Amino acid sequence: MDRLPPLNAVRAFEAAARLMSIRKAAAELFVTAGAVSRQVKVLEDFLGIELFSRGHRAVALTPVGERYFAEVSRHLAGLRNATTHLVEDKGRRTLKLRAYTTFAMRWLIPRLASFHGLYPDIDVRLSASLDAVDFEREDVDAAVRLGSGSWQGLQADRLFRNLLVPVCSPRLVEKRALRQPAELGNVLLLHSLARPDDWAKWLDAAGVEGVSAYTGIKYESSAMSYQAAMEGHGVAIAQKALVEEDLAQGRLCQPFGFELDMADFTYYFVFPIGRERKRELEVFRQWLKTQ
């Protein structure tokens, strides 16, 4: 059977089965008890199956009726929830953002509560990916991208300086007595597979020789390497803006003073030029500037 049952009949059956009463179902649906009974009979005729065993004053589900009620109630609950969410969202403003996982976790998410406090009528829907967003094909309003800030067809707002710095647990500094960058050869280097050349860039800029830039433990994301550094497993190369809170709270420390400024290769807030600009996008953009 490749067609829907009569939905009014399904609704009447679900109410009667849930309340185990034709009379109570009628009161809930604002119809007469006779109307509920007729609708249930319509559904039984449609299915060719008896759903209720009827007594003088009560009804009870047949075994088949119990199984059908379990399925029907689940789907009707889904319809109710979907409708409730749609009605609640009506009139609210939504901003759909895409960001890198580590950036979202370490920088953006900790700040979003303050945005919601200022603009409770705007819902921010944040997704994370390493892939550059395709605004022509994807339902995304704006994104955070790492690069030089020059992308055709996109407005790009620079967010902050991107400084590369080694970081580790304060306990590791004390244990290994790290004083000079050349001593990095005596500890485990922690890497992010998403940024495989960061150690090489920093060591070269700092004039450090004799330290292998690509040995050590490699993690899928920078966030994982930062966590490993906090646990005392080694020294990670970090984007300073993403670990500022950990540095301030003493969970991480900078064993050396040299910081490599990546100049314009940093994080940008981007959105399409020429597309009608939503009010919530401009509000979020201005809020970002204060951060």
Side-chain angles (χ1 to χ4, degrees):
M1 183 182 297
D2 189 22
R3 59 194 179 100
L4 288 172
L7 297 183
N8 280 338
V10 169
R11 187 179 178 213
F13 162 72
E14 187 274 340
R18 173 166 42 83
L19 299 170
M20 291 308 296
S21 168
I22 296 293
R23 179 179 56 80
K24 291 180 181 179
E28 180 179 285
L29 299 175
F30 299 102
V31 296
T32 65
V36 172
S37 295
R38 286 192 295 273
Q39 287 294 333
V40 171
K41 187 64 168 62
V42 166
L43 182 60
E44 289 178 323
D45 290 344
F46 176 86
L47 298 172
I49 296 170
E50 190 175 66
L51 299 171
F52 284 107
S53 58
R54 294 163 175 83
H56 178 61
R57 287 183 171 274
V59 294
L61 287 167
T62 64
V64 174
E66 289 181 355
R67 293 197 297 272
Y68 192 63
F69 169 67
E71 289 295 321
V72 165
S73 59
R74 179 169 61 87
H75 291 294
L76 286 181
L79 285 171
R80 289 189 185 99
N81 289 336
T83 303
T84 298
H85 293 158
L86 185 64
V87 171
E88 288 178 350
D89 288 345
K90 188 178 180 181
R92 294 187 63 79
R93 300 178 181 274
T94 301
L95 182 66
K96 298 175 184 177
L97 298 179
R98 171 80 59 80
Y100 302 108
T101 302
T102 297
F103 179 89
M105 292 174 58
R106 309 285 306 185
W107 194 90
L108 184 55
I109 290 175
R111 291 168 167 80
L112 279 180
S114 70
F115 177 81
H116 182 68
L118 291 170
Y119 306 101
D121 63 321
I122 299 178
D123 290 333
V124 177
R125 297 184 182 176
L126 176 63
S127 61
S129 174
L130 291 175
D131 299 327
V133 64
D134 185 343
F135 287 104
E136 295 297 324
R137 298 176 180 272
E138 299 180 70
D139 186 19
V140 178
D141 298 310
V144 175
R145 288 188 66 172
L146 186 64
S148 64
S150 179
W151 294 283
Q152 186 175 2
L154 298 181
Q155 169 71 39
D157 296 340
R158 190 172 187 267
L159 294 180
F160 47 70
R161 293 173 68 199
N162 191 18
L163 303 174
L164 290 185
V165 297
V167 295
C168 63
S169 164
R171 300 189 306 276
L172 185 66
V173 172
E174 296 173 3
K175 181 178 179 181
R176 295 299 184 93
L178 289 176
R179 298 292 181 266
Q180 301 296 327
E183 295 169 341
L184 286 168
N186 302 325
V187 296
L188 195 64
L189 299 188
L190 309 177
H191 307 259
S192 166
L193 291 173
R195 301 178 59 85
D197 300 318
D198 280 359
W199 265 120
K201 293 174 181 176
W202 188 90
L203 291 168
D204 180 66
V208 179
E209 298 179 354
V211 176
S212 175
Y214 294 98
T215 60
I217 301 180
K218 300 174 175 63
Y219 298 90
E220 184 177 7
S221 69
S222 297
M224 296 172 70
S225 71
Y226 301 162
Q227 184 62 39
M230 280 186 261
E231 298 292 335
H233 297 169
V235 183
I237 186 71
Q239 298 170 88
K240 188 174 182 179
L242 305 187
V243 295
E244 283 181 327
E245 183 64 20
D246 299 299
L247 291 170
Q249 296 297 325
R251 292 185 290 267
L252 289 173
C253 69
Q254 284 182 243
F256 319 113
F258 178 70
E259 300 178 346
L260 174 59
D261 190 340
M262 300 297 288
D264 288 332
F265 192 84
T266 187
Y267 290 96
Y268 291 83
F269 181 67
V270 301
F271 52 91
I273 297 172
R275 179 188 291 183
E276 182 179 357
R277 194 175 301 177
K278 299 164 70 171
R279 169 187 169 270
E280 49 269 33
L281 172 59
E282 191 59 32
V283 168
F284 190 82
R285 182 189 181 198
Q286 295 303 320
W287 171 81
L288 269 182
K289 292 180 179 180
T290 70
Q291 300 301 306

